[in-house]
Amino acid sequence: MVGRYVVDPTPGVPVLLFAFAAVLLLAVLLSSLTHRTILSTAVLFLIAGFVLGPETTGVLDITADSPTVATLAELTLFSVLFTDGMRLGWADLRSAWRLPGRALGWGLPLTLLITALLAHYVAGLDWPEALLIGAILSPTDPVFAAALVGNERVPGRLRHLLNVESGVNDGLALPFVILFLAVAAGSGDLHLDELGRELLLGVVIGVAVPWLALRLERLPFFSTSTQYEPLNAVAIGLLVLALGQVTHANLYLAAFAAGVTVATFGARQRESFEHFGELVAELFKLAALLVFGALISFEFLGEINWSGWVFAVLAIVVARPVALAVSFLGSHLTRTEQFAAMWFGPKGFASVVYSLLVLEAAIPAADEVFHLVALTVVLSIVAHSSTDLMIARIFDPATTPAWYERLRQASAQRRDRQR
């Protein structure tokens, strides 16, 4: 410190903050337009990061191994998993678990395995890295299919399926990411006892802290005002984060378990935090997408050979559709609903953060894995966020395209003749 001036140890942070604020303001001003067109807020932040990145215009001086990137990734994934868990109390899961259970119980592991097969036989990765990339790309993110998930004309069971699936699969994929990351590190001793302790401790902290906090609030001496009630869940989340860091527990399982616990035992706290929590998580997500976009450049994409591009396309158009086609055998979903669910498995935020964890772990194939994940996520964001409105219109009779209506009637006539 010299006089009143402070030397900033991370000189790129003020520029990043300014860029994020400017793009956020632009996104807010364009939000009404993005809800009606193929342009999405997520794509806007991704493009902004790409344009401002160090290898494009150089406005943002960010590298994948920057402490800022690691910290932002950690905080963002924690907040997202906490709010995802908050949507899903045990009562919600029990009341309508049949279809999401198919997508998670069968669809998630099948997507992981099919993606791993593609990574091994198409992209040429060794099996440990192939399984790792399969785990990284198996979660989905409904943010990039907002027009479908948020459209009331879309059947409720389909919207519920996509919401529950995307809310749970981040947390379910995490143990596989951690396990395969340890395998890919090439260590003879995977330290499974240490890994198990971290995972178990994360769950214990995630359940115990909110349960105790909610019990304390019910004591006669304590009473939460309406004004401060949304901060109750914030305080619980921060306590879980701090305890997880001190005890070296798995922060992400702790976050997800804490969110589920609050949703299960604190209905009032869940309701008061819902809107506020969604906005906080959304801010973190958009900041992470801006940073992620800054790590991508034409030079970066040019480093990926043709087999990597083929893998990325197949990971989007083959892995999930085939996995869910198997999962929905014998279900009562219509063909249109099945098609929408099979297509809208966008590779989103969790995959971005998991790929950053791979870079941080510095495994031998970290750079190759990151390149393939980054390419797949970029293609997925563009493909899914630009088609969600189009598919949603199929469920709206007033906006259903004439070609689709003719196709539907022809299909119905064929079925009638077969009967």
Side-chain angles (χ1 to χ4, degrees):
M1 181 182 294
V2 181
R4 62 188 179 87
Y5 298 99
V6 179
V7 178
D8 185 3
T10 53
V13 172
V15 178
L16 175 60
L17 180 60
F18 177 82
F20 174 70
V23 179
L24 180 62
L25 177 60
L26 179 62
V28 171
L29 295 175
L30 293 175
S31 57
S32 179
L33 176 66
T34 58
H35 288 160
R36 301 193 307 269
T37 67
I38 63 172
L39 177 67
S40 75
T41 303
V43 171
L44 179 63
F45 273 83
L46 189 68
I47 293 174
F50 179 87
V51 172
L52 299 175
E55 295 184 12
T56 308
T57 61
V59 173
L60 297 178
D61 184 16
I62 294 174
T63 58
D65 57 354
S66 167
T68 301
V69 173
T71 301
L72 178 62
E74 181 178 280
L75 291 177
T76 306
L77 188 55
F78 184 92
S79 67
V80 168
L81 287 171
F82 183 62
T83 52
D84 280 352
M86 192 84 74
R87 297 194 200 107
L88 301 165
W90 289 115
D92 300 304
L93 296 178
R94 286 196 305 269
S95 65
W97 182 247
R98 183 172 56 85
L99 289 174
R102 283 173 174 262
L104 293 165
W106 289 99
L108 181 68
L110 284 175
T111 301
L112 190 159
L113 290 174
I114 295 171
T115 305
L117 287 170
L118 293 171
H120 180 71
Y121 289 108
V122 177
L125 292 180
D126 291 335
W127 280 115
E129 289 79 11
L131 289 167
L132 173 61
I133 203 171
I136 290 172
L137 291 174
S138 56
T140 59
D141 193 333
V143 170
F144 307 117
L148 191 73
V149 175
N151 191 329
E152 293 186 358
R153 292 187 176 90
V154 175
R157 61 182 179 181
L158 176 59
R159 288 185 285 117
H160 178 79
L161 161 64
L162 295 175
N163 261 324
V164 172
E165 180 196 10
S166 62
V168 176
N169 59 18
D170 293 349
L172 292 183
L174 178 61
F176 294 101
V177 173
I178 296 171
L179 176 62
F180 294 137
L181 187 56
V183 174
S187 172
D189 181 6
L190 297 180
H191 304 286
L192 293 179
D193 55 340
E194 182 180 343
L195 176 63
R197 184 193 68 82
E198 291 178 1
L199 296 176
L200 179 61
L201 190 56
V203 173
V204 170
I205 290 174
V207 172
V209 170
W211 185 81
L212 287 172
L214 294 172
R215 293 288 295 178
L216 281 174
E217 189 180 352
R218 294 171 186 170
L219 296 177
F221 181 76
F222 295 104
S223 178
T224 305
S225 68
T226 304
Q227 181 182 1
Y228 280 86
E229 197 163 43
L231 295 181
N232 193 345
V234 175
I236 289 173
L238 290 175
L239 274 174
V240 170
L241 175 63
L243 277 175
Q245 289 178 327
V246 169
T247 60
H248 302 290
N250 186 278
L251 294 178
Y252 309 125
L253 278 185
F256 188 70
V260 173
T261 304
V262 173
T264 301
F265 298 105
R268 191 179 78 257
Q269 291 81 359
R270 173 191 185 181
E271 183 179 354
S272 63
F273 176 76
E274 183 176 11
H275 183 63
F276 176 74
E278 291 290 342
L279 287 177
V280 171
E282 186 70 9
L283 285 175
F284 274 118
K285 276 187 178 183
L286 296 176
L289 282 171
L290 181 70
V291 169
F292 178 66
L295 300 178
I296 310 299
S297 66
F298 289 116
E299 182 180 351
F300 177 94
L301 297 176
E303 294 171 356
I304 305 172
N305 58 29
W306 67 268
S307 62
W309 285 83
V310 172
F311 161 78
V313 172
L314 293 178
I316 295 171
V317 303
V318 172
R320 177 180 171 86
V322 170
L324 285 202
V326 174
S327 304
F328 290 143
L329 289 174
S331 72
H332 297 294
L333 287 174
T334 66
R335 289 184 180 179
T336 306
E337 290 171 335
Q338 288 188 43
F339 166 73
M342 289 159 58
W343 171 241
F344 282 108
K347 314 302 177 186
F349 176 75
S351 297
V352 170
V353 177
Y354 291 157
S355 67
L356 293 176
L357 294 180
V358 171
L359 284 178
E360 188 179 352
I363 64 174
D367 189 60
E368 186 176 4
V369 170
F370 180 74
H371 273 70
L372 291 176
V373 171
L375 175 61
T376 306
V377 170
V378 169
L379 294 180
S380 176
I381 290 174
V382 173
H384 291 106
S385 63
S386 60
T387 56
D388 59 347
L389 191 65
M390 186 188 312
I391 301 299
R393 284 175 176 168
I394 293 177
F395 295 98
D396 184 356
T399 58
T400 299
W403 64 266
Y404 179 81
E405 186 60 28
R406 289 194 297 270
L407 183 64
R408 188 190 65 78
Q409 291 177 357
S411 178
Q413 290 171 0
R414 281 196 303 271
R415 287 197 301 269
D416 290 341
R417 287 196 297 268
Q418 291 172 356
R419 291 173 185 170

